[in-house]
Amino acid sequence: MTTAPTALIADDEEAPRAQLLTALRQVWPELDVVAECANGVDAWDAWLAHEPTVCLLDIQMPGLTGIEVARRIAQGGGQTQVVFVTAYGDHALAAFEAGALDYVMKPVEPQRLAQTVARLKSRLAQPASVDAAALQALLGQLASQTRRPAPLRTIQASVGREVRLIRTEDVVYFEADARYTRVVWSGADGDGEALIRTPLKELLAQLDAERFWQVHRSVIVNQACIAAAHRVDEGVMTLTLRGRDERLPVSRHFQGLFKAQ
């Protein structure tokens, strides 16, 4: 029995998102839409939860842009087919028109969407080898053209009766802890840990992506603090940290970050 294809759609505007969903149901009725998201942070979190067959991503979204979400999918080695939903005049349109990436224009027309769906079905029926390095390079180029706020420099956390200002460069790792996020740091003023209310997935969009790597749905680590990645067995990997005893889990989606040069 063939499993029905699944999809995630993301757009920060409700009306275009609803219009896209209606058009999808018209041209691809067997597609199971497993998640609808209103921002890039939730889209990435939903991708980790569902790993859908197809993602239709608005380019301009708060938190993480559609391009940034696509980069994370590609970096993780995901097999998800990505389609960008874009407005006329978007800076990335030239790359799309060159045939490098699939896209549909807003407002989405069922006839145009049907052409994209036909290409997606063909790729899914006969998976072809993708030049992952070239795709990541293109997505990186597009992401660099997107203006983003400066990364977070300090974290404010309650420690006893104090509100500590922790420099992000001193943070060793962040870990989701029930409704909170655990911050573990080591700096010139000593080591410590505290709980903050900001969810891990929201922190991810505020941190410097070059310094902080997500290695698990519940863990973000300062890559400068990583000593080694250990493959325990097929599909299981852990990290050891410089000068610390903890071992952090690395989920399958992120094991591609650790490859010998």
Side-chain angles (χ1 to χ4, degrees), residues 191-231:
D191 300 350
E193 62 177 75
L195 296 177
I196 60 174
R197 293 183 180 274
T198 306
L200 191 80
K201 65 179 183 178
E202 291 183 15
L203 273 176
L204 184 66
Q206 301 175 45
L207 296 168
D208 182 349
E210 298 300 319
R211 180 185 293 272
F212 289 96
W213 292 357
Q214 184 173 20
V215 295
H216 190 277
R217 196 177 180 194
S218 63
V219 178
I220 299 172
V221 62
N222 186 336
Q223 58 92 7
C225 297
I226 299 171
H230 305 267
R231 188 170 295 282

Side-chain angles (χ1 to χ4, degrees), residues 24-77:
L24 270 175
R25 286 173 173 165
Q26 180 179 337
V27 302
W28 202 351
E30 67 272 27
L31 185 68
D32 180 15
V33 178
V34 294
E36 297 178 53
C37 305
N39 59 69
V41 171
D42 285 345
W44 173 238
D45 197 52
W47 184 85
L48 289 174
H50 299 284
E51 202 166 345
T53 312
V54 180
C55 280
L56 294 102
L57 305 172
D58 184 23
I59 293 181
Q60 301 296 341
M61 292 188 289
L64 297 171
T65 67
I67 291 170
E68 289 170 323
V69 175
R71 281 190 81 188
R72 293 174 187 277
I73 292 171
Q75 287 169 348

Side-chain angles (χ1 to χ4, degrees), residues 11 14 18 32 39 65 71 88 133-135 158 169 185-186 189 207 209 219 221 240:
D11 193 312
E14 185 175 355
D32 180 15
N39 59 69
T65 67
R71 281 190 81 188
Y88 178 78
L135 176 59
S158 295
E169 63 190 65
W185 72 87
S186 179
D189 298 330
L207 296 168
V219 178
V221 62
T240 52

Side-chain angles (χ1 to χ4, degrees), residues 22-181:
T22 299
L24 270 175
R25 286 173 173 165
Q26 180 179 337
V27 302
W28 202 351
E30 67 272 27
L31 185 68
D32 180 15
V33 178
V34 294
E36 297 178 53
C37 305
N39 59 69
V41 171
D42 285 345
W44 173 238
D45 197 52
W47 184 85
L48 289 174
H50 299 284
E51 202 166 345
T53 312
V54 180
C55 280
L56 294 102
L57 305 172
D58 184 23
I59 293 181
Q60 301 296 341
M61 292 188 289
L64 297 171
T65 67
I67 291 170
E68 289 170 323
V69 175
R71 281 190 81 188
R72 293 174 187 277
I73 292 171
Q75 287 169 348
Q79 299 302 305
T80 299
Q81 298 288 326
V82 174
V83 177
F84 291 107
V85 184
T86 181
Y88 178 78
D90 192 283
H91 72 277
L93 195 57
F96 301 156
E97 290 178 338
L101 295 163
D102 260 319
Y103 77 98
V104 291
M105 297 280 291
K106 293 182 181 183
V108 176
E109 298 177 355
Q111 184 176 0
R112 173 65 179 84
L113 182 60
Q115 296 173 1
T116 298
V117 167
R119 285 197 297 271
L120 290 172
K121 288 181 176 180
S122 177
R123 290 176 192 163
L124 293 172
Q126 298 179 330
S129 59
V130 176
D131 188 339
L135 176 59
Q136 288 189 36
L138 176 59
L139 290 169
Q141 180 182 359
L142 291 172
S144 69
Q145 298 171 20
T146 303
R147 301 180 70 178
R148 289 192 50 76
L152 195 63
R153 298 300 182 194
T154 59
I155 303 286
Q156 294 190 31
S158 295
V159 180
R161 296 186 177 183
E162 295 182 334
V163 176
R164 290 288 298 267
L165 271 64
I166 306 159
R167 299 186 303 174
T168 53
E169 63 190 65
D170 292 336
V171 173
V172 180
Y173 63 92
F174 298 93
E175 184 177 30
D177 187 339
R179 294 177 298 168
Y180 299 90
T181 297

